[in-house]
Amino acid sequence: SEGILKKYLELHPASLQIMFGVAGIQYKMNKLTEARDNLEKILIFEPENRDAQMLLDRILEEVQVAV
């Protein structure tokens, strides 16, 4: 499903909902760097997006714990 969403995102790069879906899948697959990058892009366009911010905070916390 990550591949399908990535393909859609290539065709519709401004779809922040799809980008959030990709980030969620990447997070679940432990692709934390990729998920973080997508969440940061979302927050550039929607700084008030609480879901993206919450997931980004969780990722940053997990990365910090791992170091």
Side-chain angles (χ1 to χ4, degrees):
S1 56
E2 179 190 17
I4 293 169
L5 290 176
K6 279 186 169 183
K7 189 68 169 170
Y8 181 88
L9 198 53
E10 287 174 16
L11 299 172
H12 304 89
S15 179
L16 300 179
Q17 288 179 316
I18 295 297
M19 191 178 295
F20 183 75
V22 169
I25 291 170
Q26 290 168 327
Y27 171 73
K28 290 178 181 177
M29 295 174 67
N30 206 34
K31 295 182 175 183
L32 301 183
T33 302
E34 294 94 332
R36 183 199 67 212
D37 291 347
N38 279 321
L39 293 166
E40 288 175 346
K41 289 176 190 173
I42 292 168
L43 291 168
I44 288 171
F45 294 103
E46 286 186 355
E48 72 289 348
N49 187 318
R50 293 176 53 108
D51 292 331
Q53 187 62 59
M54 287 173 49
L55 184 53
L56 178 59
D57 290 345
R58 184 180 303 160
I59 289 169
L60 295 175
E61 185 176 302
E62 288 183 23
V63 168
Q64 194 172 36
V65 168
V67 172

